[in-house]
Amino acid sequence: MASMRTLPKEFTVRRRDPVLVTPSEPTPQETKPLSDLDDGEGMRFYSSGIHLYRHNPAKAGQDPAQVTRLRCGGFIFGQRFCHCVVDAPGGMQFEKAICELACGADKPSVTPSWGREMFMAGDPPARPRYQHLEYREPAGGPDRMLTTPPSQMARAPFFFGPREIAGLRQRAQARRCSRFELVAACIWRSRTAALGYAPGDEVRLCFIVNARGRPDDVPLPEGFYGNAFAYSVAATTAGELCGKDLGFALDLVKKAKSAVTYDYLRSVADLMVLEGRPLFTLTRTYLVSDVSHAGFKSVDFGWGEAVYGGPAKGGEGPLLGVTNYFSRAKNGKGEEGTVVPICLPKDAMEKFQLEVQGLTAEL
């Protein structure tokens, strides 16, 4: 017997004239000047991020909208920001505003503020008041990280959980230090040893220090979402870095981190104008950005906290392994830790792994 089909019910469609849905208030039309921290060669790229969400039974039948849906009922939200306009905290401010609107708010709880004038160079710009090693070439020979073809590079993630951090703290010899400082010092020292630089070659760790939350008086207006950071540099020779204990590297990192003040940021702005907005140097330099506290996972569009929220890739730029993000994640045991994606020449990766194991093993 043939199966019976249920014919669709008839319904009436009324076609009306289209209506333009306008904004609730006039959209500003003006030119916004970037600050001299925004308008640098190193800021002219798009930073990609992703947020992964599980299926939420309470949202069954509801459409999460501008996203990649998964068969399990979860979805992936991706975004790209032009770094000339926002830094990581600024991008998070924007995403949280979207969350608030998606959850029914009439307007964001934090009103965005442009406020770029605080990071403009002087008129005329003053002579930079600091060395600014981040824009000066280091002394020494060639850097194989800049010449090794991609096909000869290896990638591996390294997890620094409670056990690894405990081992590093033992080697810190009672120094007060943050998780970032410990992991950065460990990676820098291990990477330098693995790459086999000559003892007299200058090697550097370059990292981002954000003005937000600094103890000194940086006059950021509420709602500011522009770039409010500088690159700070720890520098020494490969022989000294690898020949001394971890505490030596750690002291250099802490000193460099404390050097970034509001005056330092203004000096960077002056340098940008006077020297043609140079790109930070990459030779024998390991550049890292710590986004583990940016709050990517807390972005909630109504479906709950993300399973993962953060950078879509391990670093930025055309040269593999030169730049890295530090982000937060859990291992198979459910332990919270810092994940560092490492990219090195294939013949250096095993040496790097052994160096890290030696520094993180508990005494």
Side-chain angles (χ1 to χ4, degrees):
M1 182 181 293
S3 60
M4 296 180 63
R5 289 184 178 181
T6 302
L7 296 176
K9 296 181 179 180
E10 293 183 358
F11 59 92
T12 302
V13 176
R14 294 180 180 177
R15 185 172 182 176
R16 298 183 177 180
D17 293 335
V19 177
L20 177 64
V21 179
T22 60
S24 59
E25 58 186 47
T27 301
Q29 296 185 19
E30 57 185 317
T31 299
K32 293 286 192 182
L34 295 172
S35 78
D36 288 312
L37 293 188
D38 295 326
D39 193 16
E41 182 65 29
M43 299 295 186
R44 295 168 185 167
F45 69 95
Y46 284 88
S47 180
S48 303
I50 55 173
H51 303 268
L52 282 66
Y53 295 91
R54 289 191 177 95
H55 168 63
N56 186 339
K59 295 290 186 178
Q62 297 188 36
D63 187 358
Q66 305 292 41
V67 297
T68 300
R69 298 173 184 82
L70 306 177
R71 289 184 178 179
C72 65
F75 66 93
I76 301 172
F77 169 78
Q79 44 78 12
R80 298 189 80 196
F81 289 118
C82 178
H83 217 311
C84 286
V85 179
V86 298
D87 60 7
M92 284 305 304
Q93 178 183 326
F94 174 75
E95 291 197 7
K96 288 180 179 178
I98 295 177
C99 291
E100 291 173 339
L101 296 174
C103 293
D106 293 329
K107 61 181 180 179
S109 58
V110 178
T111 302
S113 173
W114 190 253
R116 308 299 166 108
E117 62 277 355
M118 75 188 69
F119 294 130
M120 293 293 191
D123 186 15
R127 181 178 179 181
R129 298 169 291 287
Y130 302 87
Q131 283 186 297
H132 292 298
L133 294 179
E134 61 271 31
Y135 302 105
R136 315 294 182 214
E137 282 294 314
D143 183 2
R144 60 187 301 210
M145 285 296 296
L146 305 184
T147 58
T148 302
S151 61
Q152 297 301 311
M153 300 289 278
R155 299 171 183 263
F158 285 78
F159 182 82
F160 292 82
R163 183 183 66 80
E164 291 79 10
I165 295 299
L168 292 175
R169 289 203 182 279
Q170 288 180 336
R171 288 166 177 80
Q173 300 175 352
R175 290 174 175 82
R176 294 187 63 182
C177 50
S178 68
R179 175 187 290 265
F180 166 76
E181 291 164 349
L182 282 170
V183 175
C186 172
I187 296 290
W188 182 32
R189 188 179 187 276
S190 302
R191 184 179 182 274
T192 300
L195 289 169
Y197 294 124
D201 282 349
E202 184 180 354
V203 292
R204 295 174 177 175
L205 171 69
C206 182
F207 54 95
I208 287 173
V209 180
N210 204 292
R212 294 173 175 84
R214 300 285 292 173
D216 47 314
D217 185 25
V218 180
L220 290 175
E222 184 179 9
F224 179 81
Y225 57 93
N227 292 286
F229 69 85
Y231 298 96
S232 193
V233 173
T236 184
T237 63
E240 279 197 309
L241 183 62
C242 299
K244 296 185 178 181
D245 61 17
L246 183 66
F248 174 75
L250 190 57
D251 287 342
L252 292 176
V253 174
K254 289 172 64 68
K255 182 179 178 181
K257 188 176 178 181
S258 65
V260 176
T261 62
Y262 181 47
D263 188 59
Y264 191 94
L265 293 167
R266 293 296 301 270
S267 181
V268 173
D270 289 328
L271 180 146
M272 286 290 120
V273 174
L274 291 173
E275 300 190 13
R277 309 189 184 280
L279 177 67
F280 43 78
T281 185
L282 299 174
T283 305
R284 291 187 308 284
T285 299
Y286 176 50
L287 196 155
V288 63
S289 175
D290 182 15
V291 297
S292 60
H293 299 291
F296 289 108
K297 283 189 66 177
S298 65
V299 173
D300 183 358
F301 297 102
W303 268 257
E305 187 178 87
V307 177
Y308 170 83
K313 52 185 179 179
E316 301 288 353
L319 299 171
L320 296 177
V322 175
T323 63
N324 269 148
Y325 288 119
F326 286 9
S327 56
R328 300 286 284 177
K330 291 182 179 180
N331 62 8
K333 301 177 182 178
E335 296 173 326
E336 192 85 16
T338 299
V339 174
V340 184
I342 294 295
C343 185
L344 288 170
K346 292 179 179 179
D347 63 325
M349 184 60 83
E350 184 177 356
K351 170 70 172 172
F352 174 83
Q353 185 172 358
L354 292 173
E355 290 285 336
V356 171
Q357 289 175 349
L359 290 175
T360 56
E362 294 192 55
L363 298 173

